[in-house]
Amino acid sequence: KQEVTQIPAALSVPEGENLVLNCSFTDSAIYNLQWFRQDPGKGLTSLLLIQSSQREQTSGRLNASLDKSSGRSTLYIAASQPGDSATYLCAVSRIQGAQKLVFGQGTRLTINP
Amino acid sequence: EAQVTQNPRYLITVTGKKLTVTCSQNMNHEYMSWYRQDPGLGLRQIYYSMNVEVTDKGDVPEGYKVSRKEKRNFPLILESPSPNQTSLYFCASSPGTGRQETQYFGPGTRLLVL
């Protein structure tokens, strides 16, 4: 059974710092991995999707990497801003039923001005 | 505006009183799904639908029903709600199930069953 773990559960950093969020999964047979952002009282917003054959994806100040063999992904946020404060979730799609996402419990990120 | 909408956003009900949470998407997506989010357990998939009249169980389907009679709508039905179904529910959709296709989430429905 696929399990997804995100460490740390919460992170607080000063504005302007670069930071890394971690995601690990137990079964390397994944279809893709996605990073989402969740703001309080709102739904999830997709940030980046990495296909299983890819190593990384970039969008603006965000860079996500994938090491399928070791079961790890990282989300790198450059030059953090207070508006980046949110909960970040990673999710993996299993090979069978490609859109059956298994989520981690998230990292609650606070950027202090 | 492309979006997934859910109604109601907040709902308080009592044990055993049937309820339906509606989900609608205006993006002509084939794939739709329901999740519940609980503290300490994260998001877990309840049911999903690959297309009209095609549905299947996710990881926690007990106590829920779904239907997909039209492409745009995917209601979640609780025939006899119980307190352990108190949760935050999300509907999601995606164009299909390709490797590059992400899911778009609705704003969530917070349900309290007394």
Side-chain angles (χ1 to χ4, degrees):
Chain A
K1 178 184 174 184
Q2 179 72 274
E3 292 183 1
V4 180
T5 303
Q6 291 185 247
I7 296 173
L11 181 63
S12 180
V13 301
E15 180 179 2
E17 283 201 2
N18 304 324
L19 59 99
V20 174
L21 306 181
N22 297 295
C23 172
S24 62
F25 47 95
T26 55
D27 187 347
S28 62
I30 64 170
Y31 203 53
N32 61 38
L33 183 145
Q34 300 179 53
W35 283 93
F36 293 89
R37 168 184 174 139
Q38 184 175 20
D39 294 284
K42 297 187 178 181
L44 281 68
T45 302
S46 178
L47 298 173
L48 290 164
L49 181 151
I50 310 176
Q51 298 176 50
S52 60
S53 59
Q54 297 176 322
R55 299 282 293 183
E56 66 177 337
Q57 282 286 339
T58 298
S59 176
R61 295 182 293 107
L62 305 179
N63 176 276
S65 68
L66 174 64
D67 184 342
K68 210 172 67 163
S69 61
S70 68
R72 295 186 181 190
S73 176
T74 61
L75 179 66
Y76 175 82
I77 301 177
S80 58
Q81 303 170 359
D84 294 330
S85 298
T87 296
Y88 290 80
L89 298 158
C90 74
V92 297
S93 284
R94 296 177 285 205
I95 290 292
Q96 291 179 334
Q99 289 288 355
K100 295 186 73 172
L101 294 177
V102 178
F103 282 85
Q105 294 193 33
T107 294
R108 188 171 68 253
L109 176 64
T110 302
I111 307 298
N112 301 304
Chain B
E1 179 188 353
Q3 60 183 351
V4 179
T5 56
Q6 296 178 225
N7 282 293
R9 293 289 313 280
Y10 304 91
L11 179 60
I12 301 174
T13 190
V14 295
T15 298
K17 186 176 182 181
K18 180 179 178 180
L19 66 92
T20 299
V21 183
T22 65
C23 173
S24 182
Q25 49 92 6
N26 62 1
M27 297 169 279
N28 201 36
H29 285 173
E30 290 189 350
Y31 182 92
M32 297 186 75
S33 181
W34 277 103
Y35 296 86
R36 61 178 289 175
Q37 186 176 33
D38 302 288
L41 297 175
L43 275 134
R44 294 174 293 168
Q45 191 178 52
I46 303 171
Y47 268 96
Y48 66 96
S49 169
M50 304 285 277
N51 213 324
V52 175
E53 301 292 2
V54 180
T55 63
D56 204 353
K57 297 177 181 178
D59 294 317
V60 287
E62 296 78 19
Y64 304 95
K65 285 177 57 178
V66 294
S67 68
R68 187 93 181 272
K69 294 184 171 57
E70 305 168 278
K71 199 171 187 179
R72 64 182 293 129
N73 296 323
F74 190 45
L76 179 69
I77 304 158
L78 284 71
E79 294 269 1
S80 183
S82 62
N84 65 12
Q85 293 178 297
T86 292
S87 186
L88 178 58
Y89 292 87
F90 288 103
C91 179
S93 73
S94 71
T97 57
R99 291 181 186 272
Q100 299 183 41
E101 292 171 358
T102 190
Q103 293 193 27
Y104 298 82
F105 280 75
T109 294
R110 191 168 292 278
L111 172 65
L112 172 61
V113 183
L114 301 173

